[in-house]
């Protein structure tokens, strides 16, 4: 078998682009006598890769006693890898240490968690975070995990592609940070983090960031004499700048320890001879941004993907794919692309751990096609098929059926047809894996705004980064799709997008924005770019120090006040009534007023034009999408900035996504509602506006036009 390589666009085998179609298939659950039949079914659905956890729990049931094939078929990892090879299926090997997978202690050995309580992740007050939560870098945990890796990784190495085997990727751990965040927050294990200790991780981090303790005291509002004296900040609702700086520092430090842990595991795996690319799965779209440090630490031979569930039990806001789910999928896949990866969903719903609410074939197919519509280049069904748990290893049931397309007993369920439909789509449109999504506007993403939701809890600010992140998703992105716009994301950390002035860029801004990011917006405007900025001009940098690079360039006195009440203003004949944020009344003397609040006469929107043609339009309000007026406002303002709309649809409830490769095009039309929808759709190719006609979309369907 040939190795699988990748770039930020797609996967490739032997020089040919391929779609990575993977399915979770647990050798320790699926009866060995049925492996081949189920693998045949998987291939017939379009599959080319299997993924499997390799649970530490079952292979070291007693400390220092390792059991594999000689213990029985449910332990026979090598037989499974050999069978996959014979069936010409690639494998993603996932040896942990964590698996989750509804296993006792999330796949960690029972003896590890129960006999070594000092390894557990801790809250700030020293209590256990929760069940199953281990402190990743605790030296004793690393000692035990290293022993496990020293046994299991050489087995995997014998079956990598370069050794003539099927293992094309190896995954270190699983859904990093989830085991902490979901049960109580960040890890404060004192032994791991080294609080108060010379050479401890936390003091070393602070010294590396601040250089001397006086600088730290200035930032934190403290009076320590040494970095070793600095305690970790307790999570609280305090929200003054020093409080936010302290929590941001600890959050960044914590994510740095996650990167160190990932790098440690990868080093062990490489030392054991595993030479394939490494992968990891972010537990949900918002966690993608947690892995910036990990991506930097691991370099090019690594793929980060995400998990895109829409229903795991009745606590989920929606139990079927919805437009809200589609917006999350779009942002997640775009984030992965911006981070340099072929957008991959390493856990795409292939069932659910809960029997109710159910995963229906119709819902699942809408989910799969929605992910394709917004750029998915590879996936792993979690799970494709299940089977009985080894006695005492399951934390919910003795049978791990998961409602999968192939049941625990081998029955083919209706869900299989939905998974086969995805495979049929890839087979019908093989060129799609290298197609580019057509966009008519861009939305700038500040990854720090995504992360700030963890450490920034309000305060005396006009508009915080968490509010900006919410506005970007539930305001701008959702409004854009309802208005039949075709947005793409661009990365405020990167310089490349500043050279492209062909489409307008929307900048969702908070009180704070790093100096280099403000400078990139300035560079874009100097290059002749056209920008819609909302809802205000930043006055602070990332560390909450004064920073007005963007405002100074525009010649604007960035307002530090927010007016309460309601604003009523008119744009292109449409009346808009919104909370009177009026973040930007102090416009440059050279700017023109686009519209003003009828009651006060204060500008709500103004436009500044540079001598070289660059334009900045400031919109001084924010919103959560709800009204047709929101669509009209966004579209009108972007048209003033020379928007050339790619798709025009008559129904805001039908979202679209247009893809192109040379002279070939695909237009996805999404109806993720429970009622039938009709839409007249036109789309633009180069200078031609093509009438695609009127289409009727059944409930919960994604149609190809």
């Amino acid at each position: 078998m040939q190795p699988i390589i990748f770039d930020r666009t797609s996967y490739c085998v032997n020089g040919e682009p391929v779609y990575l179609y993977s399915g979770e298939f647990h050798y320790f659950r699926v009866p060995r006598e049925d492996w081949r039949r189920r693998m045949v079914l998987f291939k017939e659905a379009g599959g080319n890769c299997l993924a499997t956890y390799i649970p530490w729990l079952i292979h070291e049931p007693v400390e220092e006693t390792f059991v594999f094939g000689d213990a029985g078929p449910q332990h026979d990892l090598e037989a499974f890898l050999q069978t996959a090879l014979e069936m010409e299926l690639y494998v993603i090997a996932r040896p942990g240490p964590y698996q989750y997978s509804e296993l006792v202690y999330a796949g960690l050995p029972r003896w590890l968690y129960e006999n070594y309580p000092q390894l557990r992740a801790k809250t700030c007050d020293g209590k256990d975070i929760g069940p199953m939560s281990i402190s990743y870098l605790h030296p004793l945990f690393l000692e035990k995990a290293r022993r496990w890796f020293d046994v299991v990784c050489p087995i995997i190495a014998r079956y990598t592609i370069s050794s003539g085997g099927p293992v094309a990727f190896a995954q270190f751990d699983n859904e990093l940070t989830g085991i902490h965040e979901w049960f109580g927050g960040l890890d404060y294990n004192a032994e791991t983090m080294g609080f108060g200790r010379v050479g401890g991780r936390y003091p070393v981090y602070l010294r590396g960031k601040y250089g001397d303790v006086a600088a730290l005291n200035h930032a934190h509002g403290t009076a320590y004499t040494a970095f070793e004296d600095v305690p970790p900040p307790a999570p609280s609702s305090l929200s003054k700048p020093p409080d936010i700086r302290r929590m941001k520092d600890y959050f960044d430090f914590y994510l740095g320890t996650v990167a160190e842990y990932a790098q440690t595991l990868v080093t062990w795996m490489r030392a054991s001879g595993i030479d394939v690319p490494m992968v990891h799965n972010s537990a949900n779209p918002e966690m993608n941004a947690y892995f910036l440090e990990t991506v930097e630490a691991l370099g090019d031979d690594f793929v980060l993907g995400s998990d895109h569930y829409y229903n795991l039990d009745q606590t989920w806001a929606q139990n079927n794919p919805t437009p809200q789910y589609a917006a999350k999928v779009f942002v997640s896949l775009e984030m992965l692309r911006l981070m340099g990866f072929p957008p991959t969903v390493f856990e795409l719903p292939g069932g659910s751990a809960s029997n109710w609410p159910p995963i229906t074939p119709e819902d699942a197919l809408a989910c799969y096609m929605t992910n394709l519509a917004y750029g998915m280049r590879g996936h792993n069904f979690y799970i494709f098929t299940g089977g009985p748990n080894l006695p005492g290893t399951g934390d919910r049931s003795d049978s791990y059926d998961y409602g999968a397309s192939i049941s625990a007993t081998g029955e083919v369920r209706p869900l299989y047809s939905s998974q086969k439909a995805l495979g049929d789509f890839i087979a019908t449109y093989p060129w799609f894996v290298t197609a580019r999504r057509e966009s008519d506007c861009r939305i700038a993403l500040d990854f720090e705004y995504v992360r700030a939701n963890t450490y920034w809890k309000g305060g005396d600010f006009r508009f915080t980064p968490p509010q900006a992140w919410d506005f970007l998703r539930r305001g701008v992105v959702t409004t854009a799709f309802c208005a039949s716009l075709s947005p793409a994301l661009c990365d405020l950390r990167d310089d490349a997008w500043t050279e492209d002035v062909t489409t307008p860029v929307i900048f969702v801004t908070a009180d704070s924005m790093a100096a280099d990011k403000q400078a990139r917006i300035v560079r874009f405007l100097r290059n002749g770019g056209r920008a819609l900025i909302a809802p205000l001009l930043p006055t602070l940098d990332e560390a909450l120090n004064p920073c007005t690079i963007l405002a100074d360039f525009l010649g604007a006195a960035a307002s530090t006040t927010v007016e309460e009440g309601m604003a009523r203003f008119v744009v292109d004949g449409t009346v808009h009534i919104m909370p009177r944020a009026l973040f930007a009344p102090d416009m440059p003397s050279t700017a023109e007023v686009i519209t003003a609040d009828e009651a006060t006469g204060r500008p709500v929107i103004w436009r500044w034009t540079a001598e070289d043609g660059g334009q900045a339009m400031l919109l001084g309000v924010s919103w959560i999408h709800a009204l047709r007026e929101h669509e009209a406002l966004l579209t009108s303002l972007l048209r003033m900035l020379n928007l050339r709309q790619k798709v025009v649809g008559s129904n805001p409830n039908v979202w679209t996504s247009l893809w192109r490769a040379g002279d070939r095009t695909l237009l996805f039309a999404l109806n993720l509602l429970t009622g039938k929808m009709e839409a007249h759709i036109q789309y633009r190719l180069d200078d031609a506006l093509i009438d695609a006609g009127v289409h009727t979309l059944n409930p919960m369907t994604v149609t190809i036009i």
Side-chain angles (χ1 to χ4, degrees), residues 631-691:
E631 300 156 19
L633 177 64
L634 185 61
T635 304
S636 293
L637 297 183
L638 289 175
R639 283 175 180 162
M640 294 179 197
L641 297 170
N642 298 332
L643 169 76
R644 295 186 76 245
Q645 199 161 340
K646 290 289 185 179
V647 181
V648 179
S650 64
N651 189 338
N653 299 314
V654 175
W655 292 6
T656 58
S657 185
L658 177 64
W659 291 82
R660 185 175 184 180
D663 59 355
R664 294 174 291 195
T665 60
L666 273 178
L667 179 62
F668 293 83
L670 295 79
N671 174 21
L672 299 181
L673 300 170
T674 57
K676 186 178 292 186
M677 291 290 161
E678 184 176 275
H680 181 200
I681 298 175
Q682 299 170 294
Y683 63 94
R684 188 181 305 278
L685 290 181
D686 301 323
D687 294 325
L689 187 63
I690 298 171
D691 192 334

Side-chain angles (χ1 to χ4, degrees), residues 71 76 86 165 208 264 275 286 299 325 338 377 394 424 442 445 447 596 613 617 622 680 705:
D76 203 343
E86 293 167 6
T264 299
D275 56 3
E286 291 197 25
Y325 173 78
L338 294 178
R377 290 293 187 253
D424 290 344
R442 288 166 286 167
L445 177 69
F447 277 85
M617 185 179 292
S622 67
H680 181 200
I705 296 175

Side-chain angles (χ1 to χ4, degrees), residues 453-520:
N453 202 47
T454 302
Y455 62 79
W456 194 315
K457 303 300 180 184
D460 188 19
F461 297 92
R462 300 169 302 163
F463 204 64
T464 66
Q467 288 174 308
W469 170 232
D470 199 46
F471 176 32
L472 185 147
R473 294 173 300 149
R474 299 203 292 165
V476 173
V477 167
T478 305
T479 298
F481 285 135
C482 287
S484 294
L485 298 176
S486 301
L489 297 189
C490 58
D491 188 351
L492 273 170
R493 301 173 304 155
D494 186 27
D495 289 323
W497 65 268
T498 65
E499 303 299 321
D500 180 2
V501 297
T502 58
T503 58
V505 179
I506 303 167
F507 297 95
V508 175
T509 48
D511 275 285
S512 66
M513 178 180 283
D516 63 319
K517 296 171 184 175
Q518 292 191 43
R520 288 190 182 93

Side-chain angles (χ1 to χ4, degrees), residues 22 39 57 94 152 246 462 473 484 488 533 634 647 687:
S22 179
M39 288 181 188
L57 168 72
R94 308 169 78 178
V152 70
R246 287 194 293 269
R462 300 169 302 163
R473 294 173 300 149
S484 294
I533 304 169
L634 185 61
V647 181
D687 294 325

Side-chain angles (χ1 to χ4, degrees), residues 302-365:
F302 168 57
V303 177
L304 178 71
S306 192
D307 296 352
H308 285 182
Y309 291 104
Y310 62 85
N311 169 22
L312 289 175
D313 58 41
Q314 65 170 302
T315 65
W316 288 62
Q318 294 91 25
N319 296 121
N320 54 270
T322 60
Q324 294 95 318
Y325 173 78
K328 286 184 179 180
V329 164
F330 165 76
V331 172
S332 179
L333 295 174
E334 283 287 278
M335 289 171 72
L336 294 172
R337 178 183 65 82
L338 294 178
M339 294 170 82
F341 307 115
T344 306
V345 183
F346 279 124
E347 292 191 20
L348 188 67
S352 172
S354 301
N355 298 134
W356 191 90
I359 297 287
T360 70
E362 296 80 7
D363 290 348
L365 182 57

Side-chain angles (χ1 to χ4, degrees), residues 174-238:
N174 186 48
E175 297 177 338
L176 280 168
T177 76
I179 203 71
H180 299 151
E181 182 171 294
W182 297 330
F183 297 107
L186 309 182
D187 178 21
Y188 288 85
N189 185 294
E191 176 65 18
T192 297
M193 304 309 186
F195 306 136
R197 190 174 72 232
V198 174
R201 284 189 176 86
Y202 188 51
V204 166
Y205 170 81
L206 294 175
R207 180 175 288 106
K209 177 168 184 175
Y210 289 103
D212 65 79
V213 76
L216 176 141
N217 285 329
H218 178 75
H220 287 193
T222 52
Y224 297 111
T225 59
F227 288 109
E228 289 73 23
D229 297 336
V230 182
S236 72
S237 59
L238 296 175

Side-chain angles (χ1 to χ4, degrees), residues 56-85:
W56 189 2
L57 168 72
I58 73 166
H59 288 293
E60 193 181 1
V62 176
E63 187 169 7
E64 298 191 56
T65 299
F66 294 93
V67 292
F68 282 92
D70 54 353
Q74 287 177 292
H75 293 81
D76 203 343
L77 169 62
E78 292 195 69
F80 171 78
L81 295 176
Q82 182 61 39
T83 304
L85 176 65

